[in-house]
Amino acid sequence: MPIYLPPLEKQHVMVALAQAAAEERRLLTRLIDNRQRMIEATGQQLLDGGVITES
């Protein structure tokens, strides 16, 4: 049974797209984690009686 392989140039493009998607997922996860830490810190400041200022 023959197996179709795209040309090498297209394979490189496909790999680059997959790597970009993986990097995007990694960065989004970091942003979500950072935002969660900010929310928790703000909540703790409010509980401790601290003043929250907008930046």
Side-chain angles (χ1 to χ4, degrees):
M1 174 191 323
I3 298 174
Y4 170 74
L5 290 176
L8 195 54
E9 183 178 323
K10 285 190 179 185
Q11 291 179 40
H12 287 289
V13 170
M14 292 166 66
V15 168
L17 286 171
Q19 289 173 336
E23 178 67 4
E24 179 182 35
R25 179 181 295 272
R26 186 186 69 77
L27 290 171
L28 288 170
T29 299
R30 284 182 61 194
L31 285 169
I32 291 166
D33 291 346
N34 186 50
R35 184 64 175 149
Q36 184 62 39
R37 284 192 301 275
M38 289 173 62
I39 290 169
E40 290 169 4
T42 301
Q44 190 62 49
Q45 271 188 308
L46 289 170
L47 290 174
D48 292 342
V51 176
I52 306 296
T53 59
E54 290 189 35
S55 50

